[in-house]
Every structure is written in structure tokens, then in C-alpha cells.
Amino acid sequence: MAKLPRLKAQEAEKLLLKAGFKMVRSKGSHRIYRKGERRIIVPFHTSKTLHPKIVKQILKSIND
């Protein structure tokens, strides 16, 4: 199994927007994106790398 890429919040946001997701709202440091019935929440800390489980969730949502 290949390793997941290490993404920062800005990179994940670019991938989601390019895949057709729209930012619905933000609350604190979390941004909520939606495309149809799919919803994904991304913790938005500019200097930190996202947890691999969140990266996996983002990539799965984009590929579905």
C-alpha cells in the first residue's frame, strides 16, 4: 500500500475546490465543504500538517 501524501490545510482546500466542493461555512479553525450529499470537515491550521486519517478521508471523498 502506498503512503499517503502529507498535506497542509491550504493544499487540501485546493484539491477539494478543484474537485467541485464548495466551502459552506467555517466555525473556529474548521472549514466545512460540501458537494451534493457529501460533507467534509477540514481543520484549518496554516502551519500544521493534516493527520493521515483526515488526508485519507479527503482523498476518498474526491475519488468517490
Side-chain angles (χ1 to χ4, degrees):
M1 181 175 202
K3 282 191 170 186
L4 293 173
R6 298 179 58 91
L7 296 176
K8 296 210 180 245
Q10 294 92 351
E11 297 166 337
E13 182 180 42
K14 283 182 187 178
L15 288 174
L16 288 169
L17 293 175
K18 191 173 181 182
F21 283 80
K22 304 283 186 212
M23 188 173 91
V24 179
R25 62 187 176 93
S26 64
K27 183 173 184 180
S29 62
H30 291 79
R31 293 185 181 177
I32 295 96
Y33 298 91
R34 182 176 291 269
K35 180 179 178 183
E37 291 296 317
R38 288 182 281 174
R39 181 186 71 166
I40 187 159
I41 300 168
V42 179
F44 212 84
H45 302 281
T46 56
S47 62
K48 293 187 179 181
T49 306
L50 295 175
H51 192 276
K53 287 183 179 181
I54 296 171
V55 173
K56 185 176 181 180
Q57 180 186 14
I58 290 169
L59 294 175
K60 183 180 178 207
S61 293
I62 289 172
N63 291 330
D64 284 345

